Amino acid sequence: MSTADLGLPVDVPSTALFTDRYELTMLRAALRSGAAQRRSVFEAFTRRLPEGRRYGVVAGTGRVLDAVENFRFDEPVLEFLEREGVVDSATLDWLAGYRFTGDIWGYPEGEVYFPGSPILRVEGTFAEAVLLETVILSILNHDSAIAAAASRMAVAAGGRPLMEMGARRAHELAAVAASRAAYIGGFGSSSNLAAGFRYGIPTIGTSAHAFTLLHDTERDAFTAQVDALGRGTTLLVDTYDLTSAVRTAVEIAGPELGAVRIDSGDLLLLAYRVRQQLDDLGAKDTKIIVTSDLDEYAIASMAAAPVDAYGVGTSLVTGSGHPTCSMVYKLVARATSDDPDEPLVSVAKKSLGGKTSVGGRKWAARRLDEDGVAAAEVVGTGAVPAELADRQLLVPLVRHGEVIGREPLDSARARHITARAGLPLSATQLSRGEPVLPTELM
């Protein structure tokens, strides 16, 4: 079952109101001026990466495609717009038949990006394309921020499993999107059942401290959990005394105990102590899972510790200090009339304060060095140089209004591993630095 089959779990009839009022007032004015049907090109990009980040990760593309398909102005929405005086009757009539009929190209989900990368290119009439600005940016900014944090944590984990556990630290719908983005970035499972249902992400979870506190003794709690879930379950061992809890856990479950979870204290020190105790008790195959406000730096600090998996919540779903990617959506080219064959002319914002943009319908390619390692992000207009023809990054996602770029989530996850591996080694350093690739404009 696809996400399109399931629909979007939101409290409004469509994604059309996931927008800002000025998108509709611009439409109203453009319809009046006669410019609304001019062929236009919008691009989503970021002028800079979050401070200290070496690369960005594209995530949310699949959700963007769902949102475009569900962007419809039905009767309740139109009635709201009329009641609030947002648009006039002529604009309401136009919105009633809204369907995006243009083309969308973009970096495939899971790919890495850099400042100036044309992450998404939307082509259609001004009226069609301008309405999609807010929902596109909302999705890409959020999901790409989570995926970038997840990628850094995956690097820090060095192949050890990562579990996303941040649902209680985010808006309920954002939490589902965060699980999806984290999976693309390298997390292997989620505690969020909605994410498992909607996207097929493996789900995990056993018990919290409340379960232990419910019972008269820790032994009673462990016995109940093992009886219900089997010896391979994970027991939370830091409610009272850690050493006593580990001993009790092995006594009840035996050496077949799946794992113990440590959720507080000096995790590095405790992991060594618990590993030694488990080995002494004959539970050599019992794994150690650590949780408790982890981020990429805390994970990296435990690289040599006997930790088997990490559970991450707050830091992950908030982008590890960077909850947005500062992406923008700008008009970069347009026709000078509503003739569909009219040539496009470049347009660009020119202002003070670093908020300029580069005009023109762009392509992007990644130049490699002699060893096959990425050396530069090349962005240009016009003809693509022959030596970069097979290194182009944008792929078709929507053609004439029909989605053609939807893919399984695992494809995006696998793509990110490949894309990250193709970057210079310094890309995976957690220390602050500039983008690992320069962006060259042609």
Side-chain angles (χ1 to χ4, degrees):
M1 184 178 291
S2 73
T3 55
D5 295 327
L6 291 170
L8 295 174
V10 295
D11 294 327
V12 293
S14 76
T15 55
L17 290 185
F18 289 168
T19 191
D20 292 305
R21 178 170 172 143
Y22 81 166
E23 312 293 0
L24 296 180
T25 54
M26 281 192 288
L27 170 65
R28 176 178 178 174
L31 287 171
R32 180 177 290 272
S33 75
Q37 301 305 316
R38 291 183 177 184
R39 192 159 55 101
S40 300
V41 179
F42 286 83
E43 290 175 352
F45 62 94
T46 185
R47 297 184 177 96
R48 63 191 66 83
L49 296 181
E51 184 180 357
R53 294 290 170 89
R54 305 297 181 91
Y55 60 92
V57 180
V58 177
T61 309
R63 295 207 309 120
V64 166
L65 299 181
D66 292 341
V68 171
E69 281 190 333
N70 284 275
F71 207 91
R72 302 284 187 269
F73 293 85
D74 56 20
E75 279 305 315
V77 170
L78 293 172
E79 290 172 3
F80 164 77
L81 296 175
E82 182 176 30
R83 185 170 65 250
E84 294 298 312
V86 176
V87 294
D88 58 11
S89 59
T91 308
L92 284 172
D93 290 342
W94 189 90
L95 291 174
Y98 179 87
R99 297 292 186 274
F100 181 73
T101 62
D103 300 332
I104 300 178
W105 291 68
Y107 279 41
E109 200 159 18
E111 184 57 84
V112 296
Y113 70 87
F114 299 90
S117 297
I119 296 164
L120 201 73
R121 190 176 73 218
V122 180
E123 304 182 20
T125 66
F126 177 85
E128 284 186 336
V130 74
L131 295 185
L132 299 177
E133 174 182 6
T134 302
V135 71
I136 285 174
L137 290 179
S138 175
I139 292 171
L140 291 181
N141 268 313
H142 174 270
D143 290 21
S144 297
I146 307 304
S151 179
R152 286 163 60 85
M153 293 173 191
V155 169
R160 295 171 178 173
L162 289 163
M163 299 172 287
E164 184 276 315
M165 307 169 72
R168 63 194 65 190
R169 298 292 188 262
H171 182 280
E172 64 271 20
L173 298 182
V176 182
S179 295
R180 183 184 184 279
Y183 188 72
I184 291 171
F187 277 62
S189 57
S190 172
S191 65
N192 192 312
L193 289 177
F197 174 69
R198 291 204 66 200
Y199 300 117
I201 298 170
T203 59
I204 47 88
T206 51
S207 68
H209 292 292
F211 183 78
T212 301
L213 295 169
L214 169 68
H215 291 81
D216 295 335
T217 68
E218 195 166 52
R219 179 177 292 274
D220 290 343
F222 288 176
T223 299
Q225 184 174 326
V226 170
D227 287 348
L229 302 179
R231 296 177 183 270
T233 191
T234 298
L235 294 175
L236 180 59
V237 293
D238 69 332
T239 304
Y240 303 119
D241 179 75
L242 184 64
T243 302
S244 175
V246 172
R247 184 185 308 111
T248 301
V250 177
E251 288 175 1
I252 293 169
E256 297 86 6
L257 176 61
V260 295
R261 179 163 73 95
I262 310 171
D263 188 51
S264 58
D266 185 337
L267 299 178
L268 181 62
L269 174 62
L270 295 178
Y272 279 105
R273 289 180 177 176
V274 170
R275 181 73 272 159
Q276 184 63 55
Q277 185 182 8
L278 288 170
D279 291 347
D280 291 345
L281 293 170
K284 296 182 181 295
D285 294 328
T286 299
K287 299 184 183 303
I288 296 175
I289 299 171
V290 296
T291 55
S292 184
D293 293 328
L294 299 178
D295 61 12
E296 60 266 48
Y297 302 103
I299 292 170
S301 73
M302 290 183 276
V307 173
D308 297 288
Y310 306 92
V312 189
T314 303
S315 182
L316 176 62
V317 300
T318 57
S320 194
H322 297 290
T324 180
C325 303
S326 299
M327 292 185 195
V328 294
Y329 183 89
K330 297 299 181 183
L331 180 67
V332 297
R334 63 163 177 85
T336 55
S337 76
D338 58 6
D339 182 344
D341 297 321
E342 185 77 17
L344 295 173
V345 296
S346 296
V347 294
K349 175 181 178 180
K350 298 185 184 300
S351 64
L352 300 176
K355 296 184 71 173
T356 58
S357 57
V358 178
R361 180 182 184 274
K362 299 175 194 66
W363 52 263
R366 193 158 295 149
R367 177 179 292 124
L368 307 182
D369 65 16
E370 60 274 13
D371 297 317
V373 177
E377 192 88 338
V378 185
V379 177
T381 59
V384 181
E387 66 272 17
L388 296 175
D390 62 348
R391 301 295 308 168
Q392 293 189 72
L393 293 164
L394 280 80
V395 300
L397 300 171
V398 175
R399 181 176 294 135
H400 304 314
E402 180 183 353
V403 173
I404 60 173
R406 187 174 278 116
E407 62 181 0
L409 194 57
D410 281 331
S411 297
R413 177 181 170 86
R415 179 180 296 113
H416 178 60
I417 294 172
T418 300
R420 190 177 62 206
L423 297 176
L425 285 176
S426 58
T428 59
Q429 293 176 345
L430 295 182
S431 58
R432 293 183 177 276
E434 297 299 314
V436 73
L437 296 186
T439 302
E440 300 177 359
L441 297 177
M442 297 187 66

